[in-house]
Structures are given as structure tokens and as C-alpha cells.
Amino acid sequence: MRFLVFIFSFICFFQPAFAQHPQNIVREEITIPMRDGVKLGAIVYRPDQPGKFPAIVYRTPYGIDDYDSYAQFPLKAAKQGYVVFLVDVRGRYRSEGEFVAYKNEKQDGYDVIEWVGTSTYCNGKVGTYGGSYPGIVQWLAMSEAPPHLAAAAPEMTPISSHHFFYYGGAFSMPWLDWFVPLIFADKRKKAGDTSDTWSDEVAYDEWVKSDRRKWYSHRPLADLPILKKYAPEYYDWLKHPEQTEYWDFVNVEDDFKKFKVPVFLLSGWYDAGYGPEGATRGYKKMQAQAASDYAKKNSRLVLGPWNHTSLHTRKTHFGEMEFYESAGLDYDIELLNWFDEHLKEIPNQSQLPPVSVFVMGANKWRASNEWPIPGTVYKDYFLHSSGKTALIKNDGVLNVTLPGEEKSDSYVFDPTYPLWDVSFEKSYPYNQREIENRKDVLVYTSAPLTEDVEVVGEVAVELYVSSTALDTDFAITLTDVYPDGKSINLSGLDAGYLRMRYRNGFTKQEMMKPGEVYKIRIDQLYTGNLFKKGHRIRLQITSSKAPHYDPNPNTGTEIATESNLVSATNTIHHSKKYPSKLILPVIPNSK
């Protein structure tokens, strides 16, 4: 029997379908009632022995049956004395109700945690874990302050809605790569719609093999046909480009003062841009605002050379880079040890320092008690050239000398021919030389370093820019240039982006005056890298990063409804009057 009826009570009355697992674990299939009567399907793993145990909850829109087919963590946790609940979120797979992305996760998260916390096999302590969507649902549940929640591990996920949906003010196009292959098949199945596949695997394969560029480049965005039937929220998101109260359904930035329990935060330098941003800002907010000293003292931050994916101990090679054995992290063990401390109250079970960051280049971990790393010096590298950087790639220079009277650098940004990131599906480090040879990409490069330079933290630029357009975009990428000339990106290419209409904040739009010079700051780019002696530091500047973001039409009109795309001439000024610069978080005297 697959599903069972439960009386709506936070006292669990188990009559589940269950099976004996060969590792002295019991696997059960149950339902969990929500306050409005909707029942969520769940799989439970528990030790095959009497008693009550701490519980760990994983909530996902991607199907607990699929997760159950490969994930080792539930079995490891059950063997270590936990009851593990894998739960399909509302409207997905085993669960009743209608799925509307992120809308019900605060209320349902509270109900699941409280139901689990008072269930037959739980001792009253509940932890949560999971990454991406299963990560943000933890923050959202925490915002409701469920009394039985004792610890949470939101991995690779944002804390703010706006830099999730509109990073730097530009709309995030990968929602196409989320809805079509990962969400629609089950929606069709639940609707009895036989017009296309009900198989997630088939949907994913078909989408990946299809000509996706026609959908990424479709204009206007608000008239994109393929999402209309099963993703009405997409069109609603497009109607709200500003940071307003509309986004509160998936925003916890103002809720940290309510958080009493510690969090385990993990992300990667090549994670989606919101990942390291969410992890580092979340950690800082926990330290500054959390409602208990216990939460402040016991929260953890881990940043490694990973992309937006699951971790395993042997995952040390990404793209064109090998980070060697020390990059491998047994996340399951680290997380269980941390849960042992906070759900089982076993002291000193976890040996992780408050902050652990992997420094690429050195390929070593750095431990710290704080974030940013204490002693970090923010060092300015100024932009220089003779004004020919768009065509002569060695014309652009980075150094610590203030510029004098210098010519600016201009390029033509054509939104019908945007920069294309080949790593957009799963960001990874790769040689940027092909990108850097484009005429709409400016590069500024330091001389070969005479000593190692260790950079760990948030990278930023302050640029003086102008444009022939009413609105346009500017984007940055930081690379490590090796002695053989290869130029390796040190973050995912979706990081470091700004739509000019939001240069003064995301709550309102302000168009440019063509030809006027504006000082802007672009940040939200995080990395940890040792630039070795003989290597060079390079900054890329351009105006598009497709398909991460919709290329700006440069018209100054409403982005979502604009179908006309026009070129703009964009200019970077660097002179005594306009000292554009790269700002690097440098760890001094590191060996």
C-alpha cells in the first residue's frame, strides 16, 4: 500500500507500508497532513530497534523516489541512529495539492517539521538538509520558527529572492532549464495530459538535445510560449522586476533575528551565482543577528571548488582544472557529525572550524573563525590602456598605480550576438581565451607576479562607464592567467553582473542619459585562489552573459515586453578623473 490516510494531528499514528532493509533499517511509505488537509507523500528510513530518535527532514520538488534511488545519506543517517523523512513538496509526485514554485514552502515547512517532531519515532529534535530548492525551503521553514527544529543545513541556495530571480537586476534565464525538463513531466502526469512525456528522464534528455537557443533568444520574454500552460508563475515574476514586498514569499533576509538554531552553510566557487552569495551573507547575518548565542557559535560555512551539484569524496576535477585529493569532501560524514552535536548533543563530534574555504591554486583548505577572513586587505588594481583594448588584447593593463590622462575603451554591444557561456548548465573553470578575443570583451591584465597573491572573498569593481543607450548591462569575470597563456575563470560566469537601470538599487529603475559618465560598483563575485608567482591577474569586462541572463535590449523600455533589440556603444573610462579599478580581497603574507 503506497499511501495511507492520517488524522490531522501532530501526534503520529503510524500504519505505514514498510519493508525490512538488509542493513537493520526499516523503510516506510507514509503521508504527512498539512493544516489545510493536503497530504504530502514521504519515505521514512529508521533504525530497526525500539526507542525514539532525532529526525532529519529532506523536502524536494524533484521526486523522493528518484532521490531514494541513489542517495546514500538517508541510509547512513538511519544506521547512525536517525529517523530520516524524505518528503515530496506540495503538488509534486506522491504529494497532493498544487505546485506553485516556492509559494507554500514556509507554511508547509513548518507543518512538516512539527508533525515529524511529535511523531512516534522522533525524540522531539528535528534537523533539515538539502541543496538548491531543498536548501531554500529550509530557510523558508526557519522563518516560521518551528519549535522542534534544532539544526538546518541549507546548501547552495540564496537567502534573498531578488538576487535569485533578478541577479544584478537582470532576469535569470535558466528558469527555462528548470521548468521544462524538471517540472513539467510530473505536472502533465497529474493533469492527465498525454501531449508529451510523463517521464522526467525523457523530458530532460529531449530538452538537452533540443535547440534551446531559440527559446533563450525569444522576445518578448513575456510572450514565451513553452511555459504558458504549466508555469504561470514565470510570467508573474516578469511583472515584478523590482525588489518589492511581492518577493517576500521566497525571501528571509529580514528574518534572521528569529533564527535560534545553528545552520551548516555550503557552497562552491563555481556554484550558481546566488550560492556563494547566499552562503556568505547567510553566515554573516547569523553571526550578527541570530536570536541565540548557540546559533551564532555553532553555525558553519564551507566554500569549495565545486559547482551547483551534489558532492562526493572523489569529485576533485572540474572543467580544465584538477584540484587534487584535498578538494574532495565527504559531505555526508561532515554533516552527520554536525547533526550528532546538535541533534544528539554529542560534544565536539564535528571538527570543522567556523569557516572552511578551499584556496584554488594552492589547492589547500584555509580555516578561520570569521568571514571575511580576518586580516583581509582590499587591494586596488587600476585599469589602464591607450584606448585600444577592444581590438588589441594586450593593451589593457592592471596595476596599483593611479591612472593619469588616458583614453577610454569602447566596444559595441549587440544583444543579438551576446557572449555565450559554454559552461552554463554546470559552471566550471575553462580557458577564456576564445571569449576574450571577442571585440565586445575588454581585458585588463597585470604583469607577471613577482610573488604569490592569495585572494579569498568577495571581488568587486568600481567602474566609470557611459553608453549611447538609455539602459545597458555591464559584467565582470576574474581570471588567473597561467605562464602558457591560458586564462581560467575563478567563479561561475553568472557572477558579477549589473543592469544599469538598477545601478542605484533594485527598488526602482533609473535610466541613463546617453554619453553621461556614471560610477558603478559590481560585486557578488566570490572566489578563493592563489595567484602564483609568474601568473597574471586578469579582469574581463563586457555587457552580456548568455544564457544566464536576458541580453539587455538597450532600449530603456520594459524588458519583459520589448521585442526590439538594438546595439549600444559602451565605454569604460579610466583616468585621473575616472579611476576605474578592480578590488581584490587579499590575504597578506600567506605562504
Side-chain angles (χ1 to χ4, degrees):
M1 182 166 51
R2 190 177 176 91
F3 292 99
L4 300 168
V5 177
F6 280 73
I7 300 173
F8 181 52
S9 165
F10 287 119
I11 305 288
C12 173
F13 179 68
F14 275 110
Q15 290 181 331
F18 68 90
Q20 177 66 49
H21 194 278
Q23 295 178 319
N24 296 318
I25 298 169
V26 175
R27 179 186 184 278
E28 303 173 325
E29 299 180 359
I30 67 169
T31 60
I32 299 175
M34 300 294 95
R35 67 188 69 179
D36 61 357
V38 167
K39 299 179 181 66
L40 306 187
I43 295 172
V44 181
Y45 283 95
R46 61 176 176 83
D48 186 21
Q49 61 189 74
K52 291 178 177 287
F53 308 92
I56 302 175
V57 172
Y58 176 86
R59 294 193 296 134
T60 180
Y62 304 123
I64 56 175
D65 289 284
D66 178 65
Y67 179 75
D68 187 39
S69 70
Y70 68 84
Q72 295 298 310
F73 184 84
L75 297 178
K76 293 177 183 178
K79 290 174 68 176
Q80 199 160 311
Y82 292 95
V83 186
V84 183
F85 291 77
L86 312 179
V87 185
D88 282 327
V89 300
R90 178 182 294 250
R92 300 293 287 164
Y93 301 98
R94 291 172 176 250
S95 292
E96 299 174 352
E98 181 184 2
F99 176 76
V100 181
Y102 306 99
K103 278 286 189 180
N104 297 292
E105 305 306 350
K106 288 186 177 183
Q107 174 180 302
D108 286 356
Y110 179 97
D111 289 358
V112 168
I113 290 167
E114 289 307 290
W115 188 90
V116 166
T118 56
S119 62
T120 297
Y121 298 116
C122 181
N123 67 359
K125 285 185 174 290
V126 180
T128 59
Y129 79 103
S132 196
Y133 197 113
I136 199 169
V137 298
Q138 296 174 70
W139 284 123
L140 297 174
M142 286 178 67
S143 72
E144 298 290 294
H148 287 90
L149 183 65
E155 168 198 338
M156 297 185 173
T157 201
I159 61 169
S160 168
S161 54
H162 204 261
H163 74 250
F164 186 31
F165 294 85
Y166 283 91
Y167 196 94
F171 187 68
S172 180
M173 292 300 290
W175 290 111
L176 277 169
D177 296 288
W178 188 71
F179 277 115
V180 178
L182 301 178
I183 302 299
F184 283 1
D186 184 59
K187 280 205 166 189
R188 281 191 292 266
K189 183 177 181 179
K190 285 182 176 294
D193 179 357
T194 60
S195 64
D196 207 337
T197 181
W198 292 2
S199 164
D200 292 319
E201 184 176 356
V202 172
Y204 182 83
D205 288 343
E206 289 179 349
W207 176 248
V208 169
K209 294 174 183 177
S210 68
D211 178 16
R212 287 178 281 173
R213 285 205 188 202
K214 70 178 181 180
W215 300 120
Y216 300 135
S217 59
H218 183 90
R219 295 296 181 276
L221 297 176
D223 195 38
L224 186 70
I226 59 172
L227 300 184
K228 286 190 173 180
K229 190 170 186 179
Y230 289 119
E233 55 266 65
Y234 165 86
Y235 303 95
D236 202 25
W237 298 341
L238 286 174
K239 295 175 183 177
H240 296 87
E242 282 78 49
Q243 189 172 6
T244 65
E245 292 180 356
Y246 166 82
W247 295 105
D248 287 350
F249 71 94
V250 68
N251 186 25
V252 299
E253 286 215 80
D254 296 330
D255 296 328
F256 280 77
K257 58 185 177 293
K258 297 188 291 186
F259 296 166
K260 298 180 180 180
V261 303
V263 293
F264 187 122
L265 304 175
L266 179 142
S267 186
W269 304 130
Y270 297 96
D271 190 5
Y274 57 75
E277 169 80 358
T280 54
R281 288 180 62 201
Y283 183 79
K284 288 172 67 176
K285 279 182 169 287
M286 288 297 295
Q287 297 302 298
Q289 301 176 23
S292 73
D293 288 338
Y294 184 80
K296 294 177 180 179
K297 179 181 177 181
N298 292 287
S299 291
R300 294 293 179 263
L301 173 65
V302 178
L303 298 165
W306 311 307
N307 55 13
H308 194 70
T309 188
S310 299
L311 302 180
H312 56 79
T313 55
R314 298 190 62 81
K315 191 153 191 178
T316 65
H317 185 90
F318 293 89
E320 299 182 23
M321 299 303 296
E322 172 61 57
F323 298 115
Y324 301 100
E325 290 76 11
S326 62
L329 176 76
D330 195 326
Y331 180 57
D332 290 357
I333 288 178
E334 299 292 353
L335 185 56
L336 282 171
N337 287 341
W338 187 76
F339 276 142
D340 280 352
E341 281 197 9
H342 306 300
L343 300 183
K344 293 183 178 180
E345 300 181 359
I346 303 175
N348 303 316
Q349 185 75 353
S350 173
Q351 299 301 308
L352 285 175
V355 176
S356 303
V357 295
F358 188 85
V359 182
M360 301 179 292
N363 295 330
K364 294 180 180 179
W365 287 92
R366 173 180 280 277
S368 175
N369 290 322
E370 300 176 32
W371 179 267
I373 305 297
T376 298
V377 175
Y378 293 89
K379 189 171 182 179
D380 296 340
Y381 290 82
F382 294 95
L383 280 58
H384 304 269
S385 82
S386 64
K388 301 176 182 178
T389 303
L391 298 177
I392 303 174
K393 296 303 177 178
N394 61 1
D395 186 52
V397 173
L398 278 178
N399 61 38
V400 297
T401 304
L402 279 164
E405 296 307 316
E406 300 181 7
K407 293 183 179 179
S408 57
D409 290 306
S410 298
Y411 58 91
V412 176
F413 163 48
D414 179 358
T416 66
Y417 180 56
L419 181 153
W420 187 268
D421 177 17
V422 298
S423 76
F424 75 93
E425 290 177 296
K426 290 289 184 183
S427 292
Y428 53 79
Y430 67 97
N431 194 344
Q432 298 287 298
R433 295 308 298 272
E434 182 176 347
I435 285 175
E436 292 168 355
N437 284 332
R438 290 175 57 116
K439 293 180 181 179
D440 59 356
V441 176
L442 306 181
V443 295
Y444 299 87
T445 311
S446 74
L449 299 172
T450 58
E451 60 182 16
D452 292 350
V453 176
E454 184 178 358
V455 172
V456 179
E458 184 176 14
V459 174
V461 296
E462 288 181 0
L463 301 177
Y464 292 85
V465 304
S466 61
S467 177
T468 58
L470 294 171
D471 182 41
T472 194
D473 296 348
F474 288 98
I476 63 170
T477 299
L478 180 69
T479 75
D480 186 341
V481 183
Y482 285 65
D484 63 3
K486 68 182 177 184
S487 177
I488 300 296
N489 54 301
L490 298 176
S491 67
L493 293 199
D494 59 336
Y497 205 89
L498 179 65
R499 181 147 287 172
M500 284 297 289
R501 66 178 68 194
Y502 297 112
R503 64 192 178 276
N504 293 321
F506 301 116
T507 59
K508 62 178 181 178
Q509 302 182 27
E510 297 179 57
M511 299 306 157
M512 306 169 66
K513 293 180 180 179
E516 185 167 322
V517 178
Y518 297 92
K519 181 182 179 180
I520 62 171
R521 181 182 175 92
I522 304 176
D523 46 27
Q524 296 185 332
L525 188 158
Y526 296 82
T527 196
N529 186 69
L530 182 71
F531 291 89
K532 292 184 177 180
K533 179 180 177 180
H535 288 221
R536 292 177 290 164
I537 300 168
R538 177 169 291 167
L539 173 69
Q540 295 177 14
I541 301 175
T542 188
S543 290
S544 61
K545 287 187 175 182
H548 299 292
Y549 307 110
D550 61 302
N552 197 316
N554 296 324
T555 58
T557 53
E558 184 179 353
I559 300 281
T561 57
E562 180 60 80
S563 57
N564 186 34
L565 307 181
V566 300
S567 294
T569 298
N570 293 339
T571 301
I572 305 297
H573 301 268
H574 44 81
S575 63
K576 184 177 181 179
K577 183 178 181 181
Y578 301 123
S580 292
K581 62 185 179 181
L582 166 68
I583 307 167
L584 294 181
V586 175
I587 310 298
N589 302 319
S590 60
K591 295 294 183 182

